[in-house]
Amino acid sequence: MQLIDSLAILLGLGVAYAAPQSLTSSPGHRAIIPKWYLQSAEQVPSNVVALSRPGADVSQWDRVGARGTVMAGLIENGVYNDTELFFSDNMKSLTKSYKFQSPWIYRNEFDMDPTPGEFFTLHTHGITSKADIYVNGAQVASSEKQIGSFGGHRYNLTDHLRSGTNCILIRAYPTNYLRDFAMGFVDWNPYPPDNGTGVWRHVEISQTRGVAMSPFRVLTEMSTAGDQATVTLKTDLTSHVMKTSNVTINGSVKGPDGVSAATINQTFTLGPHEEKKASIKVSIKKPHMWWPAGWGKQHLYNVSAEAIVQGVVSDKTSPQLFGIRQVTSHVNEHNDTAFSVNDLPFQVLGAGYSPDIFMRFDMTRMAYIFKYMLEMGLNTIRLEGKPEHSELYELADQMGMMVLSGWECCDKWEGWEYNHDASGVKWGESDYIAAAAAMRHDAEMMQAHPSILGFLLGSDYWPNDRATDVFLNVLGEMDWDTPVIASASKRGYPKALGPSGMKMEGPYDWVPPNYWYGDEAGAAFGFGSELGAGVGTPELRSLKRFMSDDDLDTLWTEPEMGLYHMSNKESWFHTRTIYNEGLFARYGEPRSLEDYIAKCQMADYEATRAQFEAYSTRQNASRPATGTIYWMLSGAWPNLRWQLFDYFMGPMGAYFGTKVGTRVEHVAYDYERESVWLINHSREKKGKRQIMIDLVDVNGKTITKGKVSTHTTPGSSKEIIPVEGLDKIEDLAFLRLVLRDGKKTLSRNVYWLSSKSDVLNWDESNWYYTPVTNYSDLTRLQNLPIAIVKATAKKIKFSGQWTQAEVRLENKSKLPAVFLRMNVAKAGNDVTPVIWSDNYVTLWPREKMVLKVSFAATTNHSIELSGRNIQPNTIEIRGK
């Protein structure tokens, strides 16, 4: 290449030769290793010292991105295709592949131009499960220190770098979930073939002069009057030199409007090679508070600073966002945890997050996930051992999503000597050191983010006393200022933390809607840290993307058969047996695959709606329902349960049941008390409200009809009135509840009710479900009279790559049009992501409804309309 460039210059072709650019260029600069060459250790020379020097021929290796597991890298290079891997049980053939039983090598060359007086540091943020690290033929870290998925470390590179081309080599060892502190999936899905092995987080090199500073940790405190905030900024200063240094931290805090809100100018003295914590306080007048979504704006401040030594910049921080807010928790008189945000009771309505099965992080996809959550009315995401990357928290800050983080259950993470249920190898001496490193790194990553709600040190079980001390000491060092909770269950706790106040008593599998209105197990009281009816069936087009014809046939004709796209084979949840038993008994045995999926959507809708409505109705009860985390949000790969939308971002019955059940102002039906409840999740909405109650039979004949006037107050729920006429239901009836503020409809809600109630056998409850002894009878839904629905759609706005449209529905019949589904399609495929104002709706006789939809498509799209008792129809979207 150099020869060609030289010839071009000699020939006057105007091509200028550019010297290679140094990876880092100035003090305070931190650069990501931008790419890697990836290869199995079995396919390269055994002398990694020689291989870690510049000049080795790696042209036949796979070229991969800056971060990614082995499987992610191989898919990126076309060695595997995830569409094929995800189809049927194709991935099973890779599970015990020899190629994932040996280490893998990540290697890259980069240019540097170091000069005397400069210092360089290698930053790792997580390599699974452990690694040896070499730079220019020298080993800078061994797998005894660089260990654990979250083991972030700093290594001094100053003496290892040279001018010109440098080389870094990482040998990542294969992961064992029972032996290693890894990011696992427990029983959520089959394990990835590589068990997540590899450089899954960024590796960086930073450049400083004699004194380095860490990113700021931020503590905020409001004055009693609320007119001033004190912001404490903490950083760790490290001297690299053998002399005393006077370090001036010089910088500014800018407000949400970009205007300076405070200045930083403070000097500290460091002795030779001293490490010191520096604390700087600034006052902000008339501060803007940060609020969770729905409660207010997400005002973010920006702090940046430089470390100045003898008038020269020695180091600097990257611009860092933070918010002014307070998060607290307490265990109430019922031994239940309750959270507050900015001194207001905060009822957690959330779901458990799963990353991609190959740990591929996509910021755009993450933004859509948060958008879906906010559209569903959820306010919290729980990360059980899945604290991915700093970008996740940055996005949560911007969008107002609270984050409840923590370590995971069941494997090495809970391998404490007293825990006989966990299958992980018990902790030894070195494990406490590794766990401390993981806690320190991720606490530093999370601490300043206003979206952090708290951290769970354990999940199913609490950490032993020694692990607790390790974690708490590290969190203290990191100035952690949000709640630290022992575990997600009430099985026990360390004395240093006290009771967790969280229950983990199920369910994880199907239960009927009235379950949530009981007073045992996972019903609506206290804080349910992970629970749900195990629902989340994708619609048919999504199913066909990952299930063969034989798989689909098995799905509805063999209801007790194990399925590869459920949980892993050793799990209690490998089949849909409990779910199908309830579905078949209540809705009738399916007549076809299409009929089965339609019934699943109705069952899933009523299941999620009931959970969130029940918890919402009891938010200020005598024993409050302080929080519920639906298990789960979405799958790590295409799956058949534990999700509110599918892997392909397709919303479904479970999604829209949740969306209805969490509305800010809402009116709900209590399946047990057979009454109507008024719900208010807002911070400030109050005043007069009207509730319309209508009960009709399958033919549209009115059974009862009523109207109630009442008042609503923020953050409260109250029982309004019993529903009359339920004793007059012959087989099936529909209940419509409408909440209005004057002429404005705030909530509209339709239930399908049987003359028979589901009867639960609470005495036989176990950790994952409660048996049902008698089922409600909804089989009349199989033979409804046909309704005629007129539908039109028009485009109302186009912005960027998003189209907004309006769909108008009119029921021309004298009977209800039941469970109407609208779907945006293009060339026979579902368009996702897609945002609907509502869906899976039931229209009253002669009722009209206008729905809005936004989707990522510009041309050749249409609306598909289907339902339980209408003829399917495709609607052209008219307009520009």
Side-chain angles (χ1 to χ4, degrees), residues 127-149:
I127 301 170
T128 303
S129 65
K130 57 186 178 181
D132 300 318
I133 304 175
Y134 297 82
V135 173
N136 293 336
Q139 185 171 4
V140 298
S142 75
S143 58
E144 293 181 358
K145 182 172 184 180
Q146 183 58 53
I147 187 168
S149 288

mmCIF file of all heavy atoms in Angstrom, residues 127-149:
data_model
loop_
_atom_site.group_PDB
_atom_site.id
_atom_site.type_symbol
_atom_site.label_atom_id
_atom_site.label_comp_id
_atom_site.label_asym_id
_atom_site.label_seq_id
_atom_site.Cartn_x
_atom_site.Cartn_y
_atom_site.Cartn_z
ATOM 1 N N ILE A 127 -15.342 -9.567 30.425
ATOM 2 C CA ILE A 127 -14.985 -10.608 29.463
ATOM 3 C C ILE A 127 -15.465 -11.928 30.060
ATOM 4 O O ILE A 127 -15.158 -12.245 31.204
ATOM 5 C CB ILE A 127 -13.461 -10.658 29.218
ATOM 6 C CG1 ILE A 127 -12.957 -9.302 28.699
ATOM 7 C CG2 ILE A 127 -13.113 -11.773 28.235
ATOM 8 C CD1 ILE A 127 -11.436 -9.192 28.662
ATOM 9 N N THR A 128 -16.235 -12.667 29.298
ATOM 10 C CA THR A 128 -16.819 -13.908 29.809
ATOM 11 C C THR A 128 -16.020 -15.112 29.308
ATOM 12 O O THR A 128 -15.740 -15.212 28.124
ATOM 13 C CB THR A 128 -18.277 -14.022 29.335
ATOM 14 O OG1 THR A 128 -18.996 -12.861 29.783
ATOM 15 C CG2 THR A 128 -18.946 -15.244 29.900
ATOM 16 N N SER A 129 -15.701 -16.079 30.231
ATOM 17 C CA SER A 129 -15.868 -15.959 31.675
ATOM 18 C C SER A 129 -14.622 -15.383 32.333
ATOM 19 O O SER A 129 -14.666 -14.699 33.343
ATOM 20 C CB SER A 129 -16.120 -17.340 32.269
ATOM 21 O OG SER A 129 -14.979 -18.191 32.103
ATOM 22 N N LYS A 130 -13.470 -15.654 31.744
ATOM 23 C CA LYS A 130 -12.205 -15.120 32.243
ATOM 24 C C LYS A 130 -11.231 -15.050 31.083
ATOM 25 O O LYS A 130 -11.482 -15.621 30.010
ATOM 26 C CB LYS A 130 -11.659 -16.000 33.361
ATOM 27 C CG LYS A 130 -11.442 -17.461 32.974
ATOM 28 C CD LYS A 130 -11.036 -18.296 34.181
ATOM 29 C CE LYS A 130 -10.874 -19.767 33.804
ATOM 30 N NZ LYS A 130 -10.501 -20.592 34.980
ATOM 31 N N ALA A 131 -10.119 -14.336 31.290
ATOM 32 C CA ALA A 131 -9.221 -14.117 30.151
ATOM 33 C C ALA A 131 -7.791 -13.845 30.588
ATOM 34 O O ALA A 131 -7.530 -13.335 31.679
ATOM 35 C CB ALA A 131 -9.733 -12.943 29.320
ATOM 36 N N ASP A 132 -6.870 -14.198 29.681
ATOM 37 C CA ASP A 132 -5.488 -13.738 29.739
ATOM 38 C C ASP A 132 -5.365 -12.594 28.728
ATOM 39 O O ASP A 132 -5.928 -12.670 27.622
ATOM 40 C CB ASP A 132 -4.514 -14.845 29.352
ATOM 41 C CG ASP A 132 -4.608 -16.058 30.269
ATOM 42 O OD1 ASP A 132 -4.731 -15.862 31.493
ATOM 43 O OD2 ASP A 132 -4.566 -17.192 29.753
ATOM 44 N N ILE A 133 -4.615 -11.564 29.098
ATOM 45 C CA ILE A 133 -4.470 -10.404 28.217
ATOM 46 C C ILE A 133 -2.990 -10.135 27.969
ATOM 47 O O ILE A 133 -2.197 -10.062 28.913
ATOM 48 C CB ILE A 133 -5.146 -9.155 28.818
ATOM 49 C CG1 ILE A 133 -6.631 -9.443 29.135
ATOM 50 C CG2 ILE A 133 -5.026 -7.972 27.871
ATOM 51 C CD1 ILE A 133 -7.334 -8.305 29.839
ATOM 52 N N TYR A 134 -2.648 -10.008 26.700
ATOM 53 C CA TYR A 134 -1.263 -9.745 26.291
ATOM 54 C C TYR A 134 -1.211 -8.476 25.446
ATOM 55 O O TYR A 134 -2.118 -8.218 24.630
ATOM 56 C CB TYR A 134 -0.712 -10.902 25.463
ATOM 57 C CG TYR A 134 -0.626 -12.222 26.206
ATOM 58 C CD1 TYR A 134 -1.745 -13.039 26.342
ATOM 59 C CD2 TYR A 134 0.585 -12.649 26.747
ATOM 60 C CE1 TYR A 134 -1.671 -14.250 27.017
ATOM 61 C CE2 TYR A 134 0.683 -13.858 27.421
ATOM 62 C CZ TYR A 134 -0.456 -14.650 27.551
ATOM 63 O OH TYR A 134 -0.366 -15.852 28.219
ATOM 64 N N VAL A 135 -0.162 -7.711 25.611
ATOM 65 C CA VAL A 135 0.084 -6.533 24.784
ATOM 66 C C VAL A 135 1.547 -6.547 24.349
ATOM 67 O O VAL A 135 2.456 -6.612 25.193
ATOM 68 C CB VAL A 135 -0.247 -5.232 25.546
ATOM 69 C CG1 VAL A 135 0.175 -4.016 24.726
ATOM 70 C CG2 VAL A 135 -1.725 -5.162 25.891
ATOM 71 N N ASN A 136 1.743 -6.568 23.057
ATOM 72 C CA ASN A 136 3.105 -6.529 22.478
ATOM 73 C C ASN A 136 4.025 -7.589 23.087
ATOM 74 O O ASN A 136 5.188 -7.331 23.435
ATOM 75 C CB ASN A 136 3.720 -5.136 22.656
ATOM 76 C CG ASN A 136 3.000 -4.092 21.831
ATOM 77 O OD1 ASN A 136 2.363 -4.408 20.826
ATOM 78 N ND2 ASN A 136 3.082 -2.836 22.247
ATOM 79 N N GLY A 137 3.508 -8.785 23.241
ATOM 80 C CA GLY A 137 4.324 -9.895 23.710
ATOM 81 C C GLY A 137 4.448 -10.011 25.210
ATOM 82 O O GLY A 137 5.084 -10.946 25.703
ATOM 83 N N ALA A 138 3.833 -9.114 25.966
ATOM 84 C CA ALA A 138 3.902 -9.162 27.428
ATOM 85 C C ALA A 138 2.519 -9.451 28.000
ATOM 86 O O ALA A 138 1.512 -8.879 27.534
ATOM 87 C CB ALA A 138 4.428 -7.845 27.982
ATOM 88 N N GLN A 139 2.440 -10.302 28.991
ATOM 89 C CA GLN A 139 1.170 -10.584 29.634
ATOM 90 C C GLN A 139 0.879 -9.488 30.662
ATOM 91 O O GLN A 139 1.642 -9.292 31.608
ATOM 92 C CB GLN A 139 1.172 -11.944 30.324
ATOM 93 C CG GLN A 139 -0.187 -12.316 30.902
ATOM 94 C CD GLN A 139 -0.245 -13.758 31.409
ATOM 95 O OE1 GLN A 139 0.751 -14.458 31.390
ATOM 96 N NE2 GLN A 139 -1.418 -14.190 31.839
ATOM 97 N N VAL A 140 -0.243 -8.781 30.481
ATOM 98 C CA VAL A 140 -0.595 -7.696 31.405
ATOM 99 C C VAL A 140 -1.668 -8.127 32.395
ATOM 100 O O VAL A 140 -1.919 -7.436 33.387
ATOM 101 C CB VAL A 140 -1.046 -6.434 30.643
ATOM 102 C CG1 VAL A 140 0.083 -5.916 29.766
ATOM 103 C CG2 VAL A 140 -2.292 -6.700 29.820
ATOM 104 N N ALA A 141 -2.331 -9.253 32.139
ATOM 105 C CA ALA A 141 -3.346 -9.766 33.071
ATOM 106 C C ALA A 141 -3.510 -11.251 32.855
ATOM 107 O O ALA A 141 -3.439 -11.744 31.726
ATOM 108 C CB ALA A 141 -4.677 -9.047 32.868
ATOM 109 N N SER A 142 -3.753 -11.955 33.938
ATOM 110 C CA SER A 142 -4.025 -13.388 33.852
ATOM 111 C C SER A 142 -5.487 -13.640 34.190
ATOM 112 O O SER A 142 -6.188 -12.787 34.746
ATOM 113 C CB SER A 142 -3.140 -14.168 34.821
ATOM 114 O OG SER A 142 -3.605 -14.005 36.152
ATOM 115 N N SER A 143 -5.911 -14.840 33.890
ATOM 116 C CA SER A 143 -7.309 -15.216 34.142
ATOM 117 C C SER A 143 -7.610 -15.345 35.627
ATOM 118 O O SER A 143 -8.770 -15.520 36.000
ATOM 119 C CB SER A 143 -7.635 -16.528 33.430
ATOM 120 O OG SER A 143 -6.769 -17.558 33.862
ATOM 121 N N GLU A 144 -6.623 -15.250 36.478
ATOM 122 C CA GLU A 144 -6.874 -15.262 37.912
ATOM 123 C C GLU A 144 -7.415 -13.921 38.390
ATOM 124 O O GLU A 144 -8.070 -13.840 39.424
ATOM 125 C CB GLU A 144 -5.594 -15.610 38.675
ATOM 126 C CG GLU A 144 -5.133 -17.045 38.441
ATOM 127 C CD GLU A 144 -3.882 -17.375 39.234
ATOM 128 O OE1 GLU A 144 -3.354 -16.470 39.927
ATOM 129 O OE2 GLU A 144 -3.446 -18.530 39.169
ATOM 130 N N LYS A 145 -7.130 -12.861 37.628
ATOM 131 C CA LYS A 145 -7.665 -11.546 37.978
ATOM 132 C C LYS A 145 -8.769 -11.112 37.036
ATOM 133 O O LYS A 145 -9.802 -10.612 37.481
ATOM 134 C CB LYS A 145 -6.554 -10.490 37.983
ATOM 135 C CG LYS A 145 -7.076 -9.114 38.403
ATOM 136 C CD LYS A 145 -5.974 -8.098 38.597
ATOM 137 C CE LYS A 145 -6.556 -6.786 39.096
ATOM 138 N NZ LYS A 145 -5.507 -5.755 39.313
ATOM 139 N N GLN A 146 -8.559 -11.280 35.727
ATOM 140 C CA GLN A 146 -9.573 -10.885 34.754
ATOM 141 C C GLN A 146 -10.604 -12.015 34.679
ATOM 142 O O GLN A 146 -10.526 -12.907 33.838
ATOM 143 C CB GLN A 146 -8.956 -10.616 33.383
ATOM 144 C CG GLN A 146 -9.941 -10.130 32.337
ATOM 145 C CD GLN A 146 -10.655 -8.862 32.757
ATOM 146 O OE1 GLN A 146 -10.027 -7.872 33.128
ATOM 147 N NE2 GLN A 146 -11.973 -8.880 32.730
ATOM 148 N N ILE A 147 -11.565 -11.950 35.591
ATOM 149 C CA ILE A 147 -12.492 -13.066 35.751
ATOM 150 C C ILE A 147 -13.894 -12.536 36.004
ATOM 151 O O ILE A 147 -14.073 -11.516 36.670
ATOM 152 C CB ILE A 147 -12.025 -13.991 36.898
ATOM 153 C CG1 ILE A 147 -12.875 -15.260 36.963
ATOM 154 C CG2 ILE A 147 -12.011 -13.272 38.234
ATOM 155 C CD1 ILE A 147 -12.277 -16.323 37.876
ATOM 156 N N GLY A 148 -14.882 -13.207 35.432
ATOM 157 C CA GLY A 148 -16.272 -12.829 35.636
ATOM 158 C C GLY A 148 -16.791 -11.910 34.551
ATOM 159 O O GLY A 148 -16.078 -11.035 34.056
ATOM 160 N N SER A 149 -18.067 -12.104 34.174
ATOM 161 C CA SER A 149 -18.666 -11.309 33.102
ATOM 162 C C SER A 149 -18.648 -9.820 33.380
ATOM 163 O O SER A 149 -18.636 -9.009 32.459
ATOM 164 C CB SER A 149 -20.121 -11.754 32.880
ATOM 165 O OG SER A 149 -20.185 -13.006 32.269
#
